[in-house]
Amino acid sequence: MSRKKITIVGAGNVGATAAHWAATKELGDIVLVDIIDGISQGKALDLAEAAPIDGFDSRIIGTNGYEETEGSDIVIITSGLARKPGMSREDLLQKNKEIIQSVTEQVVAKSPHCFIIMVSNPLDTMTYLALKASGFSKNRVMGMAGILDAARFQTFIAVELGVSVQDIQAMLLGGHGDDMVPLPRYSTVSGIPVTELLSQEQIERLVERTRKAGGEIVGLLKTGSAFYSPSAGAVAMAEAILKDTKRILPCCVYLKGEYGLTDICFGVPVKLGAGGVEEIVELRLNATEKEAVRRSAEGVKKSIDALGAL
Ligand code: NAD
């Protein structure tokens, strides 16, 4: 079997940490790309020099261009700007639109057969943009958010019950924002629905903390946002595709009528394998859950519309 190649665009907090997870899991060789000269080269070299200590066998290089990315199997995109003081969400959207459009075009020119995993924010909108800019089929472009949001819900459930995170499964739908839709009815501890183990008040408190979990980290870090868990989420998706594991994970994907939604990238459970997004799983929702999905989709649609002409 030939060695797999993973390109990670953006060698900031999320990108460099994704390189770390992917390297220690020996998912393949890694090319780290950043626009700033030295950052990708320096972090790649540092990580490569950790390999003899930790004993992982991945070749890791850093670059400012796309030559070395040629023939990548997976491309994880984390490049982008964070919102600065005085910058509106709209300004940020336009800035990141330019970045993601140009990055996607350069990625696709060198790796026409890759799968793209988007991480940059606003996540659902940037996934949509990458899908359109790539010209790829919808099974090959996806965004990472649901795995992270579900993992946060799992963490809070584990702490609340004082049990291992290993036995907890959580599912959620929706856009990557405060309107995300955690699904307690579809979240379990060793097969037991959390609705059997926690009171309504406890569940509501954990759901609310999950919705605001990104902001909780920003509030603590002050100068950045979460990166260990988001990068672990992106690498989990890459692993499912590269190893053809067919895991069912919540991912942001293009919908064509599923959940009553069309022409939108939105978080839903999917089967991930060698074919990328191999299947979209449609859950039966009650009226409250349907309404929450509708509201979340409305927000995502608005953001996609704000992209303007593509
Ligand atoms: P960061 O600022 O640490 O890193 C971003 C990197 O992108 C920087 O090194 C920058 O130089 C690089 N970059 C900018 N323009 C580029 C270009 N045109 N080509 C190549 N590289 C370029 O930020 P971070 O904390 O790593 O976050 C990265 C992105 O991920 C942000 O958009 C953030 O909002 C998003 N994010 C998403 C999730 C999620 O759940 N989907 C979670 C956390 C962060």
Side-chain angles (χ1 to χ4, degrees):
M1 203 169 75
S2 67
R3 293 171 76 100
K4 298 293 183 185
K5 188 165 176 179
I6 303 158
T7 284
I8 300 172
V9 184
N13 276 340
V14 176
T17 316
H20 186 191
W21 295 119
T24 55
K25 284 171 172 277
E26 297 186 326
L27 292 187
D29 294 330
I30 296 165
V31 182
L32 199 51
V33 183
D34 202 280
I35 203 165
I36 300 174
D37 187 32
I39 183 173
S40 45
Q41 293 89 340
K43 290 188 182 182
L45 183 59
D46 188 15
L47 189 51
E49 289 168 356
I53 302 171
D54 211 42
F56 55 83
D57 232 331
S58 291
R59 277 193 296 266
I60 306 149
I61 57 163
T63 173
N64 300 119
Y66 287 81
E67 280 308 315
E68 295 89 339
T69 70
E70 184 152 19
S72 293
D73 298 284
I74 302 264
V75 177
I76 299 175
I77 300 180
T78 77
S79 51
L81 299 183
R83 195 139 64 109
K84 303 209 175 70
M87 203 176 187
S88 72
R89 273 179 201 280
E90 180 61 18
D91 295 337
L92 180 73
L93 185 75
Q94 291 311 323
K95 204 65 220 157
N96 280 351
K97 174 182 172 182
E98 285 166 32
I99 294 174
I100 298 305
Q101 201 150 21
S102 117
V103 163
T104 304
E105 283 162 8
Q106 295 177 84
V107 157
V108 167
K110 291 290 172 200
S111 304
H113 305 296
C114 71
F115 294 96
I116 296 178
I117 300 173
M118 179 58 61
V119 183
S120 306
N121 274 322
L123 188 273
D124 309 274
T125 313
M126 291 302 129
T127 306
Y128 183 90
L129 174 58
L131 176 69
K132 298 292 169 183
S134 65
F136 281 4
S137 52
K138 64 187 174 73
N139 61 309
R140 288 170 57 201
V141 181
M142 61 210 91
M144 193 298 301
I147 297 175
L148 167 65
D149 296 329
R152 287 170 167 163
F153 193 32
Q154 286 166 275
T155 307
F156 303 148
I157 293 167
V159 172
E160 189 77 10
L161 288 169
V163 301
S164 165
V165 289
Q166 286 185 46
D167 297 323
I168 301 182
Q169 297 281 330
M171 185 44 71
L172 54 78
L173 301 170
H176 184 50
D178 294 351
D179 283 340
M180 69 179 77
V181 188
L183 295 174
R185 285 196 314 126
Y186 287 110
S187 302
T188 63
V189 183
S190 277
I192 310 162
V194 296
T195 44
E196 298 289 316
L197 299 170
L198 294 168
S199 69
Q200 189 58 27
E201 177 279 320
Q202 283 174 304
I203 290 174
E204 277 167 23
R205 182 162 38 78
L206 303 188
V207 163
E208 199 47 28
R209 189 171 175 199
T210 302
R211 289 186 201 281
K212 305 220 165 104
E216 185 178 357
I217 303 271
V218 172
L220 292 165
L221 294 179
K222 298 185 179 69
T223 55
S225 54
F227 55 98
Y228 289 112
S229 48
S231 54
V235 170
M237 290 167 70
E239 185 172 21
I241 296 171
L242 291 169
K243 295 186 178 168
D244 192 24
T245 57
K246 318 235 185 262
R247 288 190 68 190
I248 305 284
L249 295 166
C251 299
C252 174
V253 298
Y254 187 79
L255 299 184
K256 249 178 134 175
E258 299 88 352
Y259 291 91
L261 300 170
T262 303
D263 196 32
I264 186 172
C265 284
F266 199 66
V268 294
V270 302
K271 190 204 277 184
L272 281 190
V277 180
E278 296 185 348
E279 202 181 308
I280 292 174
V281 180
E282 282 206 71
L283 299 173
R284 211 170 307 143
L285 302 179
N286 63 29
T288 315
E289 292 158 349
K290 275 187 192 152
E291 171 54 20
V293 164
R294 193 200 56 74
R295 201 170 339 111
S296 178
E298 208 172 76
V300 174
K301 272 270 189 204
K302 232 180 246 169
S303 172
I304 289 175
D305 288 345
L307 280 174
L310 295 177

